[in-house]
Amino acid sequence: MLDQQASIDQRNILSRYFKTGKGEYGEGDVFIGVTVPHMRAIARSVASNTSLPCIKTLLKSRIHEHRFTGFLILGALFKKASTDKDRLVLYNLYIRHRDAANNWDLVDCTAPVVIGGWLLNHDRSVLYELAESTRIWDRRIAIVSTSVFIRNGEFADTLRIARMLLNDTHDLIHKAVGWMLREVGKKSMQELESFLALHYKIMPRTMLRYAIERMKPVRRKEYLLGLV
């Protein structure tokens, strides 16, 4: 089904967009040119009839869209799971195959659902191990998975991991941390500003810009000019 939706023009666009060239963060990834709406539609249509071995096959594929669809199916099954036993199986499947999430879209599409969803009510120490990983995608999993906690009014893990990643050298981590800080601000501007008061002057510029994006223009300008 996926291969039938492939487009050469779309493949070329996606290969450039996800930086698959030599020395880029997505170097060597292979696209066939399937759009996200098509992948989501396919995942919805087959999720209930997809076995775990089939998901593993998708996640082991060298084709980006196969892995993306595999993660979408994994997330759909997690949402539908009725017991902790079933959810734990899916969580462990993600953890064991997280090397398949080797670009930001692959992380963002399902890590919050599966990793964040499981850890919402379980020990979260794994997030701190991931945040210390040398693998950029593990670090991104660590921070974006906390979006579930934020929606539940829990900010401590997000802010602690954000502090751990303040000196990260990768732009995609700067964006992810700033994004999560912005989400904290949507729930509690006081929490965000308390964090920024301690760290905004040493934060990477991209991280800061993402974090303050929802503030009033005057306040954003004060942060950008270091006047707070």
PDB file of all heavy atoms in Angstrom, residues 2 28 62 150 189 211 226:
ATOM      1  N   LEU A   2       1.916   1.262   0.803  1.00  0.00           N
ATOM      2  CA  LEU A   2       2.795   2.423   0.852  1.00  0.00           C
ATOM      3  C   LEU A   2       3.476   2.659  -0.482  1.00  0.00           C
ATOM      4  O   LEU A   2       3.519   3.785  -0.994  1.00  0.00           O
ATOM      5  CB  LEU A   2       3.844   2.246   1.957  1.00  0.00           C
ATOM      6  CG  LEU A   2       3.372   2.467   3.386  1.00  0.00           C
ATOM      7  CD1 LEU A   2       4.414   1.963   4.363  1.00  0.00           C
ATOM      8  CD2 LEU A   2       3.072   3.936   3.631  1.00  0.00           C
ATOM      9  N   GLY A  28      21.989   9.300   4.374  1.00  0.00           N
ATOM     10  CA  GLY A  28      21.785   7.912   4.008  1.00  0.00           C
ATOM     11  C   GLY A  28      20.362   7.412   4.116  1.00  0.00           C
ATOM     12  O   GLY A  28      20.067   6.290   3.678  1.00  0.00           O
ATOM     13  N   ARG A  62      14.728  -0.133   5.612  1.00  0.00           N
ATOM     14  CA  ARG A  62      15.607   0.992   5.286  1.00  0.00           C
ATOM     15  C   ARG A  62      14.812   2.165   4.726  1.00  0.00           C
ATOM     16  O   ARG A  62      15.331   3.274   4.603  1.00  0.00           O
ATOM     17  CB  ARG A  62      16.673   0.556   4.276  1.00  0.00           C
ATOM     18  CG  ARG A  62      16.142   0.290   2.879  1.00  0.00           C
ATOM     19  CD  ARG A  62      17.197  -0.345   1.990  1.00  0.00           C
ATOM     20  NE  ARG A  62      16.705  -0.446   0.614  1.00  0.00           N
ATOM     21  CZ  ARG A  62      16.967   0.426  -0.348  1.00  0.00           C
ATOM     22  NH1 ARG A  62      17.727   1.482  -0.092  1.00  0.00           N
ATOM     23  NH2 ARG A  62      16.487   0.269  -1.572  1.00  0.00           N
ATOM     24  N   ILE A 150       3.366  17.584  30.484  1.00  0.00           N
ATOM     25  CA  ILE A 150       2.979  18.999  30.464  1.00  0.00           C
ATOM     26  C   ILE A 150       1.472  19.134  30.347  1.00  0.00           C
ATOM     27  O   ILE A 150       0.847  19.934  31.060  1.00  0.00           O
ATOM     28  CB  ILE A 150       3.677  19.736  29.307  1.00  0.00           C
ATOM     29  CG1 ILE A 150       5.199  19.721  29.482  1.00  0.00           C
ATOM     30  CG2 ILE A 150       3.168  21.179  29.202  1.00  0.00           C
ATOM     31  CD1 ILE A 150       5.969  20.192  28.260  1.00  0.00           C
ATOM     32  N   MET A 189       2.789  30.353  32.561  1.00  0.00           N
ATOM     33  CA  MET A 189       3.812  31.320  32.182  1.00  0.00           C
ATOM     34  C   MET A 189       4.764  31.583  33.344  1.00  0.00           C
ATOM     35  O   MET A 189       5.947  31.862  33.140  1.00  0.00           O
ATOM     36  CB  MET A 189       3.152  32.616  31.716  1.00  0.00           C
ATOM     37  CG  MET A 189       4.128  33.622  31.121  1.00  0.00           C
ATOM     38  SD  MET A 189       5.070  32.972  29.690  1.00  0.00           S
ATOM     39  CE  MET A 189       3.753  32.786  28.480  1.00  0.00           C
ATOM     40  N   ALA A 211      11.095  29.127  22.848  1.00  0.00           N
ATOM     41  CA  ALA A 211      10.494  29.151  24.180  1.00  0.00           C
ATOM     42  C   ALA A 211       9.596  30.365  24.393  1.00  0.00           C
ATOM     43  O   ALA A 211       8.563  30.277  25.068  1.00  0.00           O
ATOM     44  CB  ALA A 211      11.584  29.118  25.245  1.00  0.00           C
ATOM     45  N   GLY A 226      18.182  40.785  26.220  1.00  0.00           N
ATOM     46  CA  GLY A 226      18.821  40.551  27.515  1.00  0.00           C
ATOM     47  C   GLY A 226      18.457  41.585  28.560  1.00  0.00           C
ATOM     48  O   GLY A 226      19.278  41.899  29.436  1.00  0.00           O
TER      49      GLY A 226
END
